[in-house]
Amino acid sequence: MKIWFIGVAIIDGVGGVLYVEPGDLVFSSGYIFKDCLEEVQNFMLLLHAHGAAALCMKEQYFSFSENLTRLADELQLPLISITRATPWKTVIMSISEKIRNEKQRYDTRRNLIRYLLSGDSLAEEIQWSARRCLGYDLKKALSAYCSRVESSLRKARIEWNWQMWLI
């Protein structure tokens, strides 16, 4: 399963939902729900209302019931179980590394596109070579690509900030 997310939120209190932003990957130990499992459903509804990308919880306090997985499917809010033995540090470090790698790839692509659209003489030469060798206008293709991405993000109600990451 692939989950697109923009940010990460770690919540161990229902009030923390107020700070969840659209596209956040939400982590919780689940401790706050250990005595009242019905509250997990309300928590999921709140996360969905705030646009969370997914909910990741430790399985030490409970396991996801059929009702929870059904609700998650209805809300299209993936539930991810994290084993008790997995330390938060491991989870956070692996996500941080993935974000860093994606950001580097994005920065490289962004800088290349900016350069090719800059009007610099070498950029113009690269574009001319692409037009001659590939048979199409690179500047026009890059501009069209950026417009399509921006339009898709707008339709999904995601701000045009290019900080979307894939896990």
Side-chain angles (χ1 to χ4, degrees):
M1 167 181 22
K2 292 183 179 183
I3 300 169
W4 291 94
F5 67 97
I6 298 170
V8 175
I10 300 173
I11 299 176
D12 260 340
V14 177
V17 172
L18 297 173
Y19 303 101
V20 171
E21 295 182 4
D24 276 355
L25 181 63
V26 178
F27 288 93
S28 177
S29 68
Y31 180 78
I32 56 176
F33 306 115
K34 70 178 178 64
D35 296 325
C36 189
L37 297 181
E38 297 81 38
E39 285 300 311
V40 178
Q41 292 178 337
N42 293 333
F43 185 61
M44 289 169 58
L45 290 168
L46 287 170
L47 289 176
H48 174 70
H50 282 264
L55 172 60
C56 308
M57 294 181 76
K58 291 267 190 169
E59 58 185 38
Q60 68 195 59
Y61 298 106
F62 61 91
S63 59
F64 296 129
S65 68
E66 191 175 315
N67 289 342
L68 288 181
T69 54
R70 190 177 311 114
L71 178 61
D73 289 343
E74 288 172 17
L75 298 176
Q76 295 182 334
L77 179 71
L79 285 175
I80 301 168
S81 178
I82 300 172
T83 64
R84 182 180 185 163
T86 306
W88 283 118
K89 179 181 175 182
T90 303
V91 173
I92 291 168
M93 287 179 66
S94 63
I95 288 174
S96 297
E97 182 181 340
K98 186 75 170 169
I99 288 173
R100 227 179 355 265
N101 292 342
E102 282 296 315
K103 180 154 181 17
Q104 286 174 343
R105 286 204 320 249
Y106 157 72
D107 286 344
T108 302
R109 276 186 248 127
R110 182 192 61 198
N111 291 338
L112 178 61
I113 289 172
R114 277 188 180 162
Y115 179 71
L116 290 172
L117 296 176
S118 71
D120 180 81
S121 60
L122 180 57
E124 293 293 331
E125 189 175 324
I126 292 169
Q127 290 176 34
W128 180 82
S129 296
R131 194 172 21 252
R132 191 185 63 184
C133 297
L134 303 173
Y136 66 89
D137 185 346
L138 188 59
K139 188 172 187 174
K140 193 174 183 179
L142 289 172
S143 296
Y145 170 76
C146 290
S147 295
R148 280 195 314 274
V149 169
E150 184 175 9
S151 173
S152 297
L153 291 173
R154 232 184 281 119
K155 284 179 189 171
R157 293 190 209 133
I158 297 172
E159 188 177 320
W160 171 247
N161 64 12
W162 279 95
Q163 293 178 348
M164 296 174 61
W165 314 114
L166 175 69
I167 62 167

